[in-house]
Amino acid sequence: MTRSEIPLSVTVPIVIDHDVRPTHRHLLGVGELPPRDIFRILLLRPNHRLGNTLLLTPLLTELERRYPGAEIDLVTGCEAADDVFAGFRQVRHIHQLTRRPGHHPVHLLRTLLLLRRNRYDLAIDSTRGSRSGRLLLFLSGARHLLGLPSSKRELREGGSAWQTALAHAPSHFSLDGVYALRCAMGLPFMAQDAIWPPMRIHLRAEEQVCGRALLTDLLGHAPDGDHQVIALFPNATGNKRLGGEWWLALADALKAANPRLSFIEMLPAHGQSQLQLRFPAFYSSNVRRMAAVLAQCHGYISADCGVMHLACAAGVPTLGLFTRDNLTRYRPRGPHDEALCVADCAPAEVAAAAAPFLHALPR
């Protein structure tokens, strides 16, 4: 095995001194997290993707509500984390891991030692299924460890209380950590559905003004009541991506059914138009500038991707187009958001299915 092939789960035990390595500790059980005496919180999501980072924001909102006197540190691999979490008043420090932390053992060791010196009251692995997140949780040295049980051993140790709780768990990825926190605090299952915190990026008033000015410049005129501006982001990774010709056909079908629509194209990181520059195009490497422009649009349409979650967090009505069977887990979940499964669907079919979403857009 070469160094580039060494996973985090192998690297961490190698680089950590035996005197520092923690003994096995259990996850918090249902109702075991105290409502007070929690002041130093560590939130773990060692992932580099923008979408997965934005999906943490509901948990941050929940922590600010449940523990308003606490400070929160985060461990992330996302380079845009500072921009995403700006405006969350209790975030103190963001520990930035490299995209592949197992490839940089010295940096990883320094981060782990710093985490342990902070002596956190609570560390949270924010989602199920992340082996690196769970490993960092047990290495954090925190007084209380929180995460939804996922392995057979964790389910066995959690007992019937966690098994009952998991039967009521919400399906959306962004609510894993929120639900784990509420269960650990002993909140009744039947009261869980009342209010789920939304995904959110906190834009300042001056950023909103700048976003409106940028959109006005793109359109050549201020947004008015005669047209509804729809932002398109025709890019995604792997088999989530729909081709440029498919998107152009979709835009034509949407326009034919809704003559009042006008479109702008949000460009991906490589800065190349996917729609042959047919529509005004906007590029920015700064996610807050992107969010500020999106927040001024009437609606947003894209495949499942990080920018879809950014649009949702910015508060613009969002329509997500899914080619995989993970719609329930990752769909945009704002009050005016919708999601469609478009696998093997022609653009005209998708345009017809999108009609209720477009009809409900603000005028």
Side-chain angles (χ1 to χ4, degrees), residues 27-39 41 63 66-67 121-124 143-147 162 177-178 180-187:
L27 297 176
L28 281 166
V30 173
E32 291 183 354
L33 180 61
R36 299 179 179 86
D37 194 27
I38 299 293
F39 299 105
I41 300 173
L63 286 169
R66 303 294 178 183
Y67 295 104
D121 299 311
L122 172 65
I124 305 174
R143 184 157 54 96
H144 298 293
L145 307 179
L146 176 60
W162 263 123
V178 177
L181 181 67
R182 292 183 180 183
C183 289
M185 295 184 74
L187 300 181

Side-chain angles (χ1 to χ4, degrees), residues 126-289:
S126 61
T127 187
R128 286 178 281 183
S130 171
R131 290 185 295 177
S132 56
R134 192 55 51 97
L135 180 61
L136 291 173
L137 179 70
F138 285 110
L139 290 168
S140 68
R143 184 157 54 96
H144 298 293
L145 307 179
L146 176 60
L148 288 178
S150 56
S151 69
K152 291 181 179 179
R153 185 183 70 183
E154 290 173 353
L155 290 168
R156 184 173 62 253
E157 292 173 348
S160 60
W162 263 123
Q163 293 176 24
T164 301
L166 290 172
H168 296 83
S171 58
H172 201 275
F173 188 99
S174 69
L175 300 178
D176 283 356
V178 177
Y179 188 69
L181 181 67
R182 292 183 180 183
C183 289
M185 295 184 74
L187 300 181
F189 301 140
M190 299 309 295
Q192 299 284 347
D193 294 334
I195 299 176
W196 292 113
M199 286 192 292
R200 181 171 297 170
I201 185 167
H202 294 282
L203 294 173
R204 300 184 301 273
E206 57 268 28
E207 290 177 310
Q208 297 273 11
V209 171
C210 180
R212 186 169 183 84
L214 286 169
L215 183 59
T216 296
D217 291 343
L218 278 175
L219 297 174
H221 58 81
D224 53 49
D226 295 331
H227 294 87
Q228 292 176 304
V229 180
I230 305 297
L232 302 176
F233 184 74
N235 194 60
T237 58
N239 61 6
K240 296 187 292 185
R241 187 176 184 274
L242 299 160
E245 292 298 329
W246 189 96
W247 278 101
L248 287 171
L250 175 65
D252 289 341
L254 292 173
K255 183 74 172 179
N258 305 270
R260 298 177 65 249
L261 296 183
S262 60
F263 301 102
I264 65 170
E265 180 186 1
M266 307 297 289
L267 299 185
H270 55 65
Q272 300 296 315
S273 172
Q274 310 296 290
L275 302 180
Q276 304 173 16
L277 293 175
R278 181 186 293 189
F279 310 114
F282 178 77
Y283 172 80
S284 177
S285 58
N286 185 297
V287 297
R288 298 189 67 82
R289 283 171 60 85

